[in-house]
Amino acid sequence: MIYLDHAATTAAYPEVVREMTPYLDRHYFNPSGSYREGRLLHKKLYEIREKLATQIHASPEEIIFTSGGTEADNWVLLNAARTYSGKGRHIITSSIEHHAILHTCGFLEKQGFEVTYLPVNRNGIIDCDVLADAIRPDTILISIMYANNEIGTLQPVHKIGQIAQKNSIPFHTDAVQAYGHLPIQVDADFIDFLSVSAHKFGGPKGVGFLYANKELALTPLLYGGAQEAGRRAGTENVAGIIGMGIASDISATHRKEHTKSQQTLRDHLMNRILTEIPMTRLNGSRHDRLPGNINVSFAGIDGATLIAMLEARDIYVSGGSACSSSDPSPSHVLKAIGLSDEMALSAVRITIGHENTPEEIEETFRQIKDCVHELRSLA
């Protein structure tokens, strides 16, 4: 098997599995327990909170453990609606956000809130001047993703943060695709809220964290116990949090070498596809994109059929977001950057991980070229 869908999920590092295992059997205690074992686990979780905070230049009390990116995204938007509705009911986001943002915005619109969906250019990047012009006296939140999950586009996060700070508006970024792969500094980029999911960078599924600026109000999403300083009730996923901490450490330690490896393989495969297979189009920016992301449309080809053919040859790629895999309609991201329905439906997303090899990339190119030729011959 050649796995090239790392934007959907990654394999847990062996060290992550090894470190998690004792907390599923021998050290199974509740970290809220008053006995010694519980106190030790509580201390362990705080140490991980400190490490995660250090990675993004935050304070430990600003790190809140969650079930992943979707929960964190929902939480920030719903918190803005609850906390700042006295000031206004206007939210700004982009047209290419993850559905965890877009669907929550849709829910809030039904509750009487107004949402501005910023357009993007052909590379999937917002115009910061358009963002500034969209701000109103009643704007209560700006939520723009750090990196897009389909086309890998990186947004001008620093400029967005500056605009938000200048206008005293909280700035949230969905960093699910970016964290663990790019250096992130919430203080330097004026980020107030940031969403992270562990399984995107070698950690386990079902765990993540929300960074929340301690200077801003955050109402609980879940009510119950006093966990997470009363902000997120429910017994902590101890094994998952420990695995996330280990994955974060490994990703930070090896980020530069992983980035270089992924970029080298990405550029090699991307260039061969675009130069040796006719009628192909790269979706997203050639340079301002995640190191392992390739999204290409093959004119005259049904992307789903191509993906199925590659799967039959033990090569795993995707058509876009795993969260939308059951939706047959064209990707909202590809439509937003100007693709026709036909070209959007011909797209394939290839996302490279640090464990992929040059030999795998060569084999993938050969198989893609062969499948495209076969499909076009049939057509």
Side-chain angles (χ1 to χ4, degrees):
M1 180 186 73
I2 299 176
Y3 180 74
L4 294 167
D5 196 21
H6 290 86
T9 196
T10 60
Y13 289 109
E15 299 93 325
V16 168
V17 177
R18 184 171 62 248
E19 291 294 323
M20 286 178 63
T21 301
Y23 295 92
L24 296 170
D25 49 31
R26 297 196 306 276
H27 305 300
Y28 55 84
F29 307 99
N30 192 317
S32 296
S34 58
Y35 37 81
R36 181 176 62 89
E37 289 83 357
R39 295 194 303 272
L40 289 174
L41 284 185
H42 186 80
K43 180 182 178 183
K44 180 74 172 178
L45 295 187
Y46 185 78
E47 291 171 353
I48 294 169
R49 204 185 303 273
E50 286 183 308
K51 288 183 178 182
L52 295 172
T54 299
Q55 293 287 352
I56 60 171
H57 292 206
S59 300
E61 62 268 28
E62 296 176 315
I63 303 298
I64 308 165
F65 299 130
T66 68
S67 64
T70 293
E71 178 185 327
D73 286 348
N74 274 253
W75 194 353
V76 173
L77 289 169
L78 296 175
N79 174 70
R82 295 168 177 169
T83 305
Y84 304 115
S85 59
K87 174 191 173 183
R89 302 173 73 84
H90 178 234
I91 295 169
I92 298 175
T93 189
S94 83
S95 58
I96 63 167
E97 297 293 311
H98 189 277
H99 283 125
I101 293 291
L102 296 180
H103 289 173
T104 308
C105 284
F107 167 78
L108 290 175
E109 285 180 298
K110 294 177 182 177
Q111 311 304 310
F113 288 82
E114 292 184 65
V115 181
T116 295
Y117 299 92
L118 299 176
V120 294
N121 63 20
R122 69 184 305 275
N123 289 324
I125 301 173
I126 70 160
D127 185 327
C128 286
D129 291 334
V130 175
L131 166 62
D133 290 341
I135 293 174
R136 310 184 328 202
D138 62 338
T139 302
I140 57 174
L141 180 70
I142 296 171
S143 180
I144 306 291
M145 67 194 335
Y146 206 111
N148 186 264
N149 52 306
E150 293 193 32
I151 58 176
T153 293
L154 306 180
Q155 296 295 345
V157 170
H158 181 72
K159 291 182 180 179
I160 297 169
Q162 286 181 315
I163 293 169
Q165 187 198 49
K166 180 181 178 181
N167 291 274
S168 300
I169 300 169
F171 170 40
H172 165 249
T173 186
D174 177 339
V176 166
Q177 293 292 329
Y179 185 89
H181 305 286
L182 302 173
I184 295 174
Q185 298 181 7
V186 297
D187 52 353
D189 290 330
F190 311 104
I191 297 169
D192 295 302
F193 299 99
L194 179 136
S195 305
V196 173
S197 189
H199 75 103
K200 303 294 187 178
F201 55 91
K205 297 175 180 65
V207 65
F209 72 85
L210 169 67
Y211 156 75
N213 186 335
K214 61 186 176 184
E215 302 299 326
L216 298 178
L218 183 68
T219 57
L221 181 64
L222 303 173
Y223 291 90
Q227 292 89 352
E228 299 302 293
R231 296 169 298 185
R232 205 270 191 182
T235 302
E236 295 91 346
N237 177 1
V238 175
I241 292 168
I242 287 170
M244 174 169 62
I246 298 296
S248 180
D249 286 344
I250 296 172
S251 296
T253 300
H254 298 284
R255 183 186 297 126
K256 289 184 179 179
E257 62 184 90
H258 287 174
T259 296
K260 182 178 180 180
S261 170
Q262 290 170 30
Q263 285 180 335
T264 299
L265 296 179
R266 178 200 69 186
D267 291 345
H268 178 77
L269 179 56
M270 184 166 64
N271 290 334
R272 292 204 68 181
I273 289 174
L274 295 175
T275 58
E276 298 184 41
I277 302 178
M279 297 184 293
T280 55
R281 170 202 159 112
L282 178 68
N283 300 317
S285 170
R286 180 177 284 270
H287 303 291
D288 295 326
R289 69 189 305 132
L290 290 167
N293 179 285
I294 303 171
N295 190 303
V296 180
S297 288
F298 299 89
I301 298 295
D302 177 66
T305 303
L306 176 57
I307 291 165
M309 290 180 69
L310 291 171
E311 179 187 353
R313 303 178 186 203
D314 290 327
I315 297 174
Y316 290 5
V317 298
S318 70
S321 173
C323 300
S324 305
S325 59
S326 60
D327 185 354
S329 59
S331 158
H332 71 285
V333 175
L334 299 181
K335 293 291 292 180
I337 64 173
L339 267 65
S340 65
D341 285 0
E342 180 183 9
M343 285 297 284
L345 291 170
S346 73
V348 171
R349 182 185 71 178
I350 303 165
T351 44
I352 298 166
H354 69 272
E355 69 270 34
N356 289 124
T357 65
E359 293 75 20
E360 289 179 329
I361 296 304
E362 282 298 315
E363 178 63 15
T364 297
F365 171 73
R366 286 195 294 269
Q367 295 296 346
I368 289 175
K369 186 176 183 179
D370 182 65
C371 290
V372 170
H373 177 73
E374 181 178 341
L375 288 170
R376 285 176 173 166
S377 297
L378 291 172

